[in-house]
């Protein structure tokens, strides 16, 4: 059996990486507003990156699963171009409130990843649990009755999602937090290509 990872060393590495990026650590102070997206009020990409970095190192150190999900508004750029920035921003704010409530209820946190794309960090969730969460989020938006315009001409607002997890089964496949993020983005891209309104999940292939 291989040598167990040094938990203290791994967490120290994560903190060193954060400090090298000049990001505030818990207890370091700093203006909280700098981590907030101005449109949705959610924590921004910088805060998400910090959360993924720490969650990833803890998963490696202790074996506790850590999952992330990316949920992109289907045809967001098209909607923003067609209906204008006010509609797009209002839609983001509406979905941000709903997603933050649902993700928070299962012990996770919601972020803005990029315009029209939300990120959910799910510490302690394995791949099956994270997939169920993402599917629940997708379905809740699909069933919310949000439309691009009132009446029969309005199109339903939906999201597509990509999910990935680092756990005991998959942790040997990831070297850095960016590896986990890369496969999550690939899963979202696959969902968008096959969708709209579906999810795709990264599942490592088992060795023959």
């Amino acid at each position: 059996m291989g040598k167990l990872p040094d938990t203290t060393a791994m967490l120290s590495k994560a903190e060193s990486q954060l400090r090298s990026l000049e990001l505030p650590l818990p207890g370091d102070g700093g203006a909280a507003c700098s981590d907030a997206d101005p449109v949705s009020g959610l924590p921004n990409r910088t805060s998400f990156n910090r959360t993924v970095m720490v969650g990833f190192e803890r998963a490696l150190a202790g074996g506790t699963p850590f999952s992330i999900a990316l949920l992109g508004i289907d045809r967001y750029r098209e909607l923003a171009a067609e209906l204008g920035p006010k509609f797009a921003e209002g839609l983001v704010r509406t979905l941000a409130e709903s997603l933050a409530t649902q993700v928070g209820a299962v012990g996770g946190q919601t972020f803005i990843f990029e315009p029209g794309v939300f990120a959910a960090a799910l510490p302690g969730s394995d791949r099956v649990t994270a997939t169920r969460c993402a599917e629940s989020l997708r379905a809740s938006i699909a069933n919310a009755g949000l439309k691009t315009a009132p009446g029969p001409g309005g199109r339903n607002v939906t999201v597509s999602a990509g999910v990935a997890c680092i756990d005991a089964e998959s942790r040997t496949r990831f070297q850095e937090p960016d590896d986990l993020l890369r496969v999550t983005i690939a899963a979202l891209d696959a969902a968008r290509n096959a969708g709209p309104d579906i999810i795709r999940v990264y599942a490592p292939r088992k060795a023959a």
Side-chain angles (χ1 to χ4, degrees), residues 36-206:
D37 173 68
V39 174
S40 67
L42 292 174
N44 61 18
R45 175 74 175 269
T46 298
S47 184
F48 174 66
N49 289 346
R50 180 166 65 242
T51 299
V52 170
M53 190 177 294
V54 174
F56 181 90
E57 296 294 348
R58 286 177 174 167
L60 284 182
T64 302
F66 177 75
S67 295
I68 55 178
L70 296 178
L71 301 102
I73 300 172
D74 291 320
R75 298 182 292 269
Y76 176 76
R77 291 181 181 178
E78 176 186 327
L79 291 175
E82 179 182 342
L83 302 175
K86 286 188 177 180
F87 173 86
E89 291 177 3
L91 178 59
V92 167
R93 283 192 291 270
T94 297
L95 295 185
E97 182 177 356
S98 175
L99 292 173
T101 298
Q102 295 180 71
V103 173
V106 297
Q109 188 175 7
T110 306
F111 306 80
I112 282 290
F113 185 74
E114 63 184 42
V117 179
F118 303 90
L122 301 165
S125 291
D126 59 17
R127 188 171 71 245
V128 172
T129 303
T131 300
R132 288 173 179 167
C133 178
E135 173 57 23
S136 176
L137 296 172
R138 181 211 61 77
S140 72
I141 293 172
N143 296 327
L146 296 173
K147 289 184 174 291
T148 57
R155 290 171 289 175
N156 289 331
V157 173
T158 59
V159 298
S160 294
V163 180
C165 174
I166 177 171
D167 55 14
E169 179 184 359
S170 64
R171 61 181 176 171
T172 58
R173 298 174 180 267
F174 300 116
Q175 299 298 319
E176 300 291 341
D178 280 350
D179 297 334
L180 179 63
L181 184 55
R182 174 178 52 80
V183 297
T184 312
I185 292 172
L188 174 60
D189 289 343
R192 284 172 156 170
N193 290 335
D197 194 27
I198 62 172
I199 70 172
R200 288 289 183 264
V201 182
Y202 168 74
R205 294 180 180 177
K206 295 183 179 180

